[in-house]
Amino acid sequence: MNIAIIGGTGIDEIIDIDSISTLTTRFGEAQIIDGRLDDIRLLFVPRHGSSHNISPSRINYRAQIAAIKKLGVQRVIGICAVGSVRKDMPPGSFAVLGDFIDLTKKRIDTFFDDPEGPVVHTDFSHPYCPEISSTLSSACGEAGVAFVPDAVYAGVEGPRYESPAEIRLYASWGAHVIGMTNIPEVVLAKEAGLCYGAIGVITNMASGISPTPLSHDEVREAIASTSKSLADVLRDAIRTLPKTRGCTCASNSALVIT
């Protein structure tokens, strides 16, 4: 098993499940699914739990990333349902994430907070693995789907949706999409020395841009409508990843998982 997928709403529906287990780490427990995408074996981590009963602010992100590292997987693709803060990026299109703005407030966002542990300052010049990001962009092109490369993700606390004024502010800062789950997932993956890339599925226009009130049903419907295209992108990206890692993600080696 050389790749893991972390996903939320509706993503489990494109993965064939072989078995479900719970892995214990010193950061807590994580649910792990041994599954397949066609003939590709992979690990799948249901971000919100298999029953989808864990809200974004209550997810144990550290346990999930630690479990992936403990199992020896080196490459991870995160899939996020996101809202668009730009009128030219409509629902149904994709965003390959290239950078982020952390607007979360309450989450544990580091492995290195033990007063008796090492002091580690992780470089974020390239927040997402360039190899995985490149293959995701190429796969979007091959699949013929509308997408934006190097998108800037605004990560918010949730579980509420944002106000129109907040969306105007984040757009003025250069954000393309907004969501509740990629922070601190990307941060922890970088600290753990994993190759981590992420693709956002645009499910709705954000508050103040959308002509209708936002709802989670809208998100689920949008994920379902893009499931075939998303599966095509993931399949092609995984198959075309280089056999060996040529990036610098593995240079972050201070984290020891037990």
Side-chain angles (χ1 to χ4, degrees), residues 15-199:
I15 304 293
D16 294 320
I17 298 173
D18 291 331
S19 64
I20 303 176
S21 60
T22 299
L23 188 66
T24 300
T25 75
R26 62 189 170 97
F27 301 101
E29 295 183 341
Q31 197 171 56
I32 302 292
I33 292 174
D34 190 339
R36 289 167 287 108
L37 179 60
D38 292 342
D39 61 335
I40 302 170
R41 290 195 62 217
L42 50 80
L43 294 180
F44 175 63
V45 178
R47 195 182 281 122
H48 301 278
S50 58
S51 300
H52 204 278
N53 62 338
I54 305 173
S55 70
S57 56
R58 292 180 51 246
I59 294 169
N60 190 337
Y61 295 94
R62 291 203 299 183
Q64 292 179 351
I65 294 297
I68 291 170
K69 186 174 178 68
K70 186 174 182 177
L71 291 169
V73 176
Q74 298 177 332
R75 285 168 161 161
V76 184
I77 296 176
I79 305 170
C80 313
V82 297
S84 173
V85 304
R86 298 176 181 268
K87 294 180 179 179
D88 59 347
M89 296 173 60
S93 55
F94 295 159
V96 177
L97 305 187
D99 207 340
F100 66 79
I101 303 170
D102 184 359
L103 298 162
T104 62
K105 305 170 184 176
K106 306 173 185 176
R107 306 181 185 190
I108 302 174
D109 61 357
T110 182
F111 286 113
F112 303 112
D113 60 352
D114 185 344
E116 298 181 1
V119 176
V120 177
H121 302 288
T122 306
D123 176 64
F124 272 83
S125 297
H126 300 285
Y128 299 86
C129 174
E131 287 187 342
I132 294 181
S133 298
S134 177
T135 57
L136 286 171
S137 292
S138 296
C140 285
E142 288 292 323
V145 299
F147 78 102
V148 174
D150 298 318
V152 177
Y153 176 98
V156 295
E157 189 68 40
R160 69 169 177 86
Y161 291 116
E162 304 73 40
S163 73
E166 288 173 323
I167 293 301
R168 290 194 298 270
L169 177 63
Y170 305 154
S172 74
W173 287 349
H176 295 87
V177 294
I178 191 162
M180 303 176 191
T181 55
N182 197 243
I183 306 293
E185 189 172 282
V186 58
V187 176
L188 297 168
K190 177 70 75 174
E191 285 191 343
L194 302 176
C195 289
Y196 178 92
I199 185 166

